[in-house]
Amino acid sequence: MALTKELSVGEVASRAGVAVSTIHFYESKGLISSYRDSANHRRFHRDILRKISVIRIAQQAGIQLREIKEALSTIPNDKTVSVKDWERLSTSWRQQLNDRINQLTDLRDNLDTCIGCGCLSMKNCKLANPDDILGKDSPGPHIYHGEPLTD
């Protein structure tokens, strides 16, 4: 029995180990694409399986979907993601991952001194306010969920 080059959405989901709704979600976000056959059924090239693997690995690493989409846009829809493609993509995300690792290491190492009250003007807050830089503007909370508060 010869393998067909095209897969149904159910076959893609099964082979990729994700729900059909995940395939639909990835397609709605422009991460992957399909085409319609003569019976108007959604079909995918087998190459999509490797792209879905890339998406899932990148998501597990914390890469945002918009960044994944941008990276995948450099690979034609009908092309299998190659080892060189993966090396290029992973290299482009490496610094971001290193930065996140450093932030998490700082959090782990300084968590005991953080009381989590939100004042963020303590001189010894090495997590969100190193050297009390935010206290120079005004007293009180300045950061909400990692983003500066604006008036």
Side-chain angles (χ1 to χ4, degrees), residues 25-40:
F25 175 75
Y26 289 164
E27 192 170 18
S28 73
K29 294 297 182 185
L31 295 164
I32 61 174
S33 62
S34 66
Y35 66 94
R36 298 286 179 160
D37 66 10
S38 59
N40 202 28

PDB file of all heavy atoms in Angstrom, residues 25-40:
ATOM      1  N   PHE A  25      -6.914  25.431  15.121  1.00  0.00           N
ATOM      2  CA  PHE A  25      -6.380  26.636  15.763  1.00  0.00           C
ATOM      3  C   PHE A  25      -5.099  27.079  15.066  1.00  0.00           C
ATOM      4  O   PHE A  25      -4.945  28.259  14.725  1.00  0.00           O
ATOM      5  CB  PHE A  25      -6.127  26.376  17.251  1.00  0.00           C
ATOM      6  CG  PHE A  25      -5.467  27.525  17.956  1.00  0.00           C
ATOM      7  CD1 PHE A  25      -6.184  28.662  18.281  1.00  0.00           C
ATOM      8  CD2 PHE A  25      -4.124  27.461  18.290  1.00  0.00           C
ATOM      9  CE1 PHE A  25      -5.575  29.724  18.938  1.00  0.00           C
ATOM     10  CE2 PHE A  25      -3.505  28.516  18.945  1.00  0.00           C
ATOM     11  CZ  PHE A  25      -4.232  29.655  19.267  1.00  0.00           C
ATOM     12  N   TYR A  26      -4.160  26.154  14.863  1.00  0.00           N
ATOM     13  CA  TYR A  26      -2.906  26.500  14.182  1.00  0.00           C
ATOM     14  C   TYR A  26      -3.183  27.077  12.793  1.00  0.00           C
ATOM     15  O   TYR A  26      -2.551  28.039  12.375  1.00  0.00           O
ATOM     16  CB  TYR A  26      -2.004  25.276  14.041  1.00  0.00           C
ATOM     17  CG  TYR A  26      -1.368  24.775  15.315  1.00  0.00           C
ATOM     18  CD1 TYR A  26      -0.808  23.506  15.368  1.00  0.00           C
ATOM     19  CD2 TYR A  26      -1.288  25.557  16.470  1.00  0.00           C
ATOM     20  CE1 TYR A  26      -0.210  23.027  16.522  1.00  0.00           C
ATOM     21  CE2 TYR A  26      -0.691  25.076  17.621  1.00  0.00           C
ATOM     22  CZ  TYR A  26      -0.149  23.807  17.641  1.00  0.00           C
ATOM     23  OH  TYR A  26       0.461  23.335  18.774  1.00  0.00           O
ATOM     24  N   GLU A  27      -4.157  26.495  12.107  1.00  0.00           N
ATOM     25  CA  GLU A  27      -4.482  26.995  10.771  1.00  0.00           C
ATOM     26  C   GLU A  27      -5.118  28.384  10.847  1.00  0.00           C
ATOM     27  O   GLU A  27      -4.795  29.268  10.049  1.00  0.00           O
ATOM     28  CB  GLU A  27      -5.406  26.011  10.055  1.00  0.00           C
ATOM     29  CG  GLU A  27      -5.538  26.310   8.583  1.00  0.00           C
ATOM     30  CD  GLU A  27      -6.253  25.218   7.821  1.00  0.00           C
ATOM     31  OE1 GLU A  27      -6.943  24.378   8.420  1.00  0.00           O
ATOM     32  OE2 GLU A  27      -6.123  25.237   6.576  1.00  0.00           O
ATOM     33  N   SER A  28      -5.983  28.596  11.824  1.00  0.00           N
ATOM     34  CA  SER A  28      -6.632  29.910  11.959  1.00  0.00           C
ATOM     35  C   SER A  28      -5.621  31.001  12.303  1.00  0.00           C
ATOM     36  O   SER A  28      -5.831  32.163  11.972  1.00  0.00           O
ATOM     37  CB  SER A  28      -7.740  29.866  13.017  1.00  0.00           C
ATOM     38  OG  SER A  28      -7.194  29.805  14.326  1.00  0.00           O
ATOM     39  N   LYS A  29      -4.532  30.630  12.944  1.00  0.00           N
ATOM     40  CA  LYS A  29      -3.485  31.589  13.303  1.00  0.00           C
ATOM     41  C   LYS A  29      -2.444  31.750  12.197  1.00  0.00           C
ATOM     42  O   LYS A  29      -1.504  32.525  12.333  1.00  0.00           O
ATOM     43  CB  LYS A  29      -2.784  31.159  14.600  1.00  0.00           C
ATOM     44  CG  LYS A  29      -3.687  31.197  15.813  1.00  0.00           C
ATOM     45  CD  LYS A  29      -4.148  32.601  16.092  1.00  0.00           C
ATOM     46  CE  LYS A  29      -5.015  32.691  17.311  1.00  0.00           C
ATOM     47  NZ  LYS A  29      -5.565  34.017  17.513  1.00  0.00           N
ATOM     48  N   GLY A  30      -2.610  31.021  11.108  1.00  0.00           N
ATOM     49  CA  GLY A  30      -1.690  31.148   9.983  1.00  0.00           C
ATOM     50  C   GLY A  30      -0.377  30.412  10.172  1.00  0.00           C
ATOM     51  O   GLY A  30       0.581  30.650   9.442  1.00  0.00           O
ATOM     52  N   LEU A  31      -0.325  29.490  11.129  1.00  0.00           N
ATOM     53  CA  LEU A  31       0.900  28.733  11.376  1.00  0.00           C
ATOM     54  C   LEU A  31       1.068  27.594  10.376  1.00  0.00           C
ATOM     55  O   LEU A  31       2.187  27.227  10.018  1.00  0.00           O
ATOM     56  CB  LEU A  31       0.891  28.162  12.796  1.00  0.00           C
ATOM     57  CG  LEU A  31       0.914  29.201  13.910  1.00  0.00           C
ATOM     58  CD1 LEU A  31       0.510  28.577  15.233  1.00  0.00           C
ATOM     59  CD2 LEU A  31       2.288  29.826  14.017  1.00  0.00           C
ATOM     60  N   ILE A  32      -0.036  27.024   9.944  1.00  0.00           N
ATOM     61  CA  ILE A  32      -0.038  25.952   8.958  1.00  0.00           C
ATOM     62  C   ILE A  32      -1.151  26.236   7.961  1.00  0.00           C
ATOM     63  O   ILE A  32      -2.009  27.086   8.214  1.00  0.00           O
ATOM     64  CB  ILE A  32      -0.246  24.558   9.599  1.00  0.00           C
ATOM     65  CG1 ILE A  32      -1.597  24.475  10.321  1.00  0.00           C
ATOM     66  CG2 ILE A  32       0.913  24.218  10.534  1.00  0.00           C
ATOM     67  CD1 ILE A  32      -1.942  23.093  10.864  1.00  0.00           C
ATOM     68  N   SER A  33      -1.129  25.524   6.843  1.00  0.00           N
ATOM     69  CA  SER A  33      -2.199  25.725   5.863  1.00  0.00           C
ATOM     70  C   SER A  33      -2.589  24.396   5.235  1.00  0.00           C
ATOM     71  O   SER A  33      -1.817  23.439   5.238  1.00  0.00           O
ATOM     72  CB  SER A  33      -1.773  26.718   4.785  1.00  0.00           C
ATOM     73  OG  SER A  33      -0.669  26.206   4.074  1.00  0.00           O
ATOM     74  N   SER A  34      -3.774  24.378   4.738  1.00  0.00           N
ATOM     75  CA  SER A  34      -4.305  23.198   4.057  1.00  0.00           C
ATOM     76  C   SER A  34      -4.873  23.644   2.714  1.00  0.00           C
ATOM     77  O   SER A  34      -4.825  24.821   2.370  1.00  0.00           O
ATOM     78  CB  SER A  34      -5.406  22.558   4.907  1.00  0.00           C
ATOM     79  OG  SER A  34      -6.519  23.425   5.008  1.00  0.00           O
ATOM     80  N   TYR A  35      -5.399  22.700   1.998  1.00  0.00           N
ATOM     81  CA  TYR A  35      -6.108  23.011   0.761  1.00  0.00           C
ATOM     82  C   TYR A  35      -7.336  22.110   0.707  1.00  0.00           C
ATOM     83  O   TYR A  35      -7.487  21.182   1.497  1.00  0.00           O
ATOM     84  CB  TYR A  35      -5.206  22.809  -0.465  1.00  0.00           C
ATOM     85  CG  TYR A  35      -4.809  21.377  -0.693  1.00  0.00           C
ATOM     86  CD1 TYR A  35      -5.536  20.568  -1.554  1.00  0.00           C
ATOM     87  CD2 TYR A  35      -3.715  20.833  -0.036  1.00  0.00           C
ATOM     88  CE1 TYR A  35      -5.190  19.243  -1.745  1.00  0.00           C
ATOM     89  CE2 TYR A  35      -3.361  19.507  -0.227  1.00  0.00           C
ATOM     90  CZ  TYR A  35      -4.098  18.719  -1.077  1.00  0.00           C
ATOM     91  OH  TYR A  35      -3.746  17.407  -1.269  1.00  0.00           O
ATOM     92  N   ARG A  36      -8.242  22.397  -0.196  1.00  0.00           N
ATOM     93  CA  ARG A  36      -9.465  21.599  -0.359  1.00  0.00           C
ATOM     94  C   ARG A  36      -9.324  20.714  -1.586  1.00  0.00           C
ATOM     95  O   ARG A  36      -8.894  21.181  -2.649  1.00  0.00           O
ATOM     96  CB  ARG A  36     -10.684  22.516  -0.518  1.00  0.00           C
ATOM     97  CG  ARG A  36     -10.944  23.406   0.677  1.00  0.00           C
ATOM     98  CD  ARG A  36     -11.506  22.619   1.809  1.00  0.00           C
ATOM     99  NE  ARG A  36     -11.744  23.456   2.987  1.00  0.00           N
ATOM    100  CZ  ARG A  36     -12.554  23.122   3.949  1.00  0.00           C
ATOM    101  NH1 ARG A  36     -13.215  21.984   3.910  1.00  0.00           N
ATOM    102  NH2 ARG A  36     -12.706  23.910   4.985  1.00  0.00           N
ATOM    103  N   ASP A  37      -9.690  19.449  -1.427  1.00  0.00           N
ATOM    104  CA  ASP A  37      -9.657  18.539  -2.569  1.00  0.00           C
ATOM    105  C   ASP A  37     -10.953  18.672  -3.378  1.00  0.00           C
ATOM    106  O   ASP A  37     -11.802  19.514  -3.072  1.00  0.00           O
ATOM    107  CB  ASP A  37      -9.395  17.094  -2.124  1.00  0.00           C
ATOM    108  CG  ASP A  37     -10.514  16.496  -1.287  1.00  0.00           C
ATOM    109  OD1 ASP A  37     -11.600  17.098  -1.185  1.00  0.00           O
ATOM    110  OD2 ASP A  37     -10.295  15.404  -0.732  1.00  0.00           O
ATOM    111  N   SER A  38     -11.119  17.821  -4.387  1.00  0.00           N
ATOM    112  CA  SER A  38     -12.288  17.935  -5.271  1.00  0.00           C
ATOM    113  C   SER A  38     -13.599  17.669  -4.534  1.00  0.00           C
ATOM    114  O   SER A  38     -14.648  18.122  -4.963  1.00  0.00           O
ATOM    115  CB  SER A  38     -12.155  16.971  -6.451  1.00  0.00           C
ATOM    116  OG  SER A  38     -12.040  15.644  -5.963  1.00  0.00           O
ATOM    117  N   ALA A  39     -13.538  16.958  -3.412  1.00  0.00           N
ATOM    118  CA  ALA A  39     -14.744  16.708  -2.601  1.00  0.00           C
ATOM    119  C   ALA A  39     -14.910  17.774  -1.520  1.00  0.00           C
ATOM    120  O   ALA A  39     -15.740  17.632  -0.632  1.00  0.00           O
ATOM    121  CB  ALA A  39     -14.667  15.331  -1.967  1.00  0.00           C
ATOM    122  N   ASN A  40     -14.102  18.820  -1.596  1.00  0.00           N
ATOM    123  CA  ASN A  40     -14.123  19.936  -0.649  1.00  0.00           C
ATOM    124  C   ASN A  40     -13.700  19.522   0.775  1.00  0.00           C
ATOM    125  O   ASN A  40     -14.123  20.128   1.746  1.00  0.00           O
ATOM    126  CB  ASN A  40     -15.490  20.635  -0.630  1.00  0.00           C
ATOM    127  CG  ASN A  40     -15.373  22.054  -0.098  1.00  0.00           C
ATOM    128  OD1 ASN A  40     -14.328  22.693  -0.232  1.00  0.00           O
ATOM    129  ND2 ASN A  40     -16.424  22.550   0.526  1.00  0.00           N
TER     130      ASN A  40
END
